[in-house]
Amino acid sequence: QCLIGLIGKPDYTFLLWATENAGLARLRKRDPNDHDIGKAVLYKTSKEKMESFLIRYNMKYKAIDTTELSVDDVIEIMMTTLGPIIK
């Protein structure tokens, strides 16, 4: 509630998430010593908490499972989603 009061609601939010295995692979590829590797077990609960927050505060959002998607795929989904909103 404090966060919403301070900055207001965003016009639209994208919740990007991936499976724990995909997240671990990406972290290891980026940096095998990344301190976030140990936090990968929290992926599922983190996604659930973030989505719960968005729902509770009635925010417009789209959750995108990026597990099997390229960066270009994710951008395409975002642009397609935002197209009607921007017009």
Side-chain angles (χ1 to χ4, degrees), residues 23-62:
L24 277 170
R26 291 174 186 167
L27 286 169
R28 287 184 179 128
K29 183 178 178 183
R30 183 179 72 199
D31 178 359
N33 300 313
D34 192 310
H35 68 279
D36 287 335
I37 289 174
K39 298 176 186 174
V41 295
L42 302 174
Y43 274 32
K44 185 178 179 190
T45 44
S46 296
K47 186 240 181 201
E48 291 168 355
K49 285 181 180 181
M50 289 184 281
E51 194 161 25
S52 162
F53 176 87
L54 294 167
I55 291 167
R56 180 179 35 223
Y57 291 102
N58 199 29
M59 295 184 182
K60 295 178 186 173
Y61 79 98
K62 181 176 187 91

Side-chain angles (χ1 to χ4, degrees), residues 2 11 36 40 46 55 60 63 68 71 73 81 83:
C2 181
D11 293 331
D36 287 335
S46 296
I55 291 167
K60 295 178 186 173
E68 301 291 330
V71 172
D73 292 336
T81 301

